[in-house]
Amino acid sequence: GQQLNQSPQSMFIQEGEDVSMNCTSSSIFNTWLWYKQDPGEGPVLLIALYKAGELTSNGRLTAQFGITRKDSFLNISASIPSDVGIYFCAGQSWGNQFYFGTGTSLTVIP
Amino acid sequence: GAVVSQHPSWVICKSGTSVKIECRSLDFQATTMFWYRQFPKQSLMLMATSNEGSKATYEQGVEKDKFLINHASLTLSTLTVTSAHPEDSSFYICSARAPRGLGYEQYFGPGTRLTVT
């Protein structure tokens, strides 16, 4: 099935730095979701966005639903070692089809 | 809320045997559940969509006779890998779609690591 373009593919940052990743699609979606997956675990939902332009925060995480409905970004402020993992975006269409991004691997160096 | 469990967490089986993996939504009813397969350092690959009370819809390239899916109730879907072979070794993850009142998001199980020897 379709996969969303997610960038960057991987990031290595120092603890305390901010992180930004984004996801783009050629199709429009009615919902954007961001998940985090730890090694050997299933993805955990971080933030869900339902309206174009919506900006939502969850602690140090902030995500926005792009105005065009074709993109979304996730920011993590003041990163900490436990932020390590793979972050996936996902888009849900009006037909309730669900598409995953390619993932961004985050490494936080203490 | 919106917790999904999977059982077993990991399983080792011999080539030629069948393995059943269970996926349960613990605190909500899910008319739709999904089964994914994930290879190391890759994104999740959708295998099939499981609808309660009807046949599963398989993605292109996924053998429905090899990966049997049964969605017997609103809280349980099972995936049976029949006549497993080493190439079936992978991380299998299920998800359940939350009802409309919870936003239709997918909530994922913790995954099952299958190793076929």
Side-chain angles (χ1 to χ4, degrees):
Chain A
Q2 176 184 347
Q3 277 200 327
L4 309 179
N5 296 314
Q6 194 171 337
S7 64
Q9 185 175 1
S10 61
M11 303 180 73
F12 292 81
I13 61 168
Q14 294 283 346
E15 182 177 358
E17 291 183 348
D18 297 342
V19 173
S20 183
M21 59 190 79
N22 67 73
C23 200
T24 60
S25 169
S26 57
S27 305
I28 59 175
F29 292 112
N30 67 338
T31 303
W32 279 95
L33 305 158
W34 285 93
Y35 292 86
K36 181 192 177 197
Q37 185 178 27
D38 291 327
E41 300 286 335
V44 174
L45 181 64
L46 300 174
I47 292 180
L49 304 158
Y50 304 102
K51 295 181 182 178
E54 178 182 353
L55 184 71
T56 297
S57 293
N58 178 6
R60 293 178 296 106
L61 278 61
T62 302
Q64 184 159 30
F65 191 141
I67 291 292
T68 65
R69 293 185 172 273
K70 294 183 178 181
D71 63 326
S72 177
F73 72 74
L74 173 70
N75 287 341
I76 305 173
S77 62
S79 59
I80 58 178
S82 61
D83 290 334
V84 166
I86 301 179
Y87 292 79
F88 291 102
C89 63
Q92 185 162 305
S93 68
W94 273 273
N96 284 329
Q97 290 181 300
F98 197 81
Y99 302 96
F100 265 99
T102 48
T104 295
S105 174
L106 177 64
T107 301
V108 180
I109 304 167
Chain B
V3 178
V4 177
S5 71
Q6 236 177 289
H7 177 81
S9 299
W10 56 271
V11 56
I12 301 173
C13 70
K14 291 191 174 183
S15 186
T17 61
S18 295
V19 174
K20 180 186 283 189
I21 303 170
E22 292 185 349
C23 179
R24 294 182 184 271
S25 56
L26 298 185
D27 50 2
F28 66 98
Q29 294 184 330
T31 55
T32 305
M33 291 184 173
F34 304 86
W35 287 96
Y36 294 84
R37 185 173 180 176
Q38 187 178 34
F39 293 104
K41 300 187 185 301
Q42 293 190 19
S43 188
L44 285 76
M45 182 182 74
L46 180 64
M47 298 174 65
T49 301
S50 169
N51 295 297
E52 188 266 338
S54 64
K55 291 183 179 180
T57 303
Y58 290 82
E59 294 298 301
Q60 192 173 7
V62 178
E63 299 176 59
K64 61 181 179 181
D65 294 331
K66 179 167 187 61
F67 298 100
L68 300 179
I69 292 173
N70 184 12
H71 195 151
S73 76
L74 289 172
T75 58
L76 173 65
S77 175
T78 60
L79 168 68
T80 301
V81 183
T82 61
S83 187
H85 291 285
E87 57 266 28
D88 298 324
S89 298
S90 190
F91 192 51
Y92 292 88
I93 309 174
C94 73
S95 71
R97 175 179 285 152
R100 183 174 183 177
L102 292 179
Y104 279 141
E105 300 97 350
Q106 287 191 30
Y107 291 89
F108 288 84
T112 297
R113 172 75 59 193
L114 170 63
T115 302
V116 184
T117 61

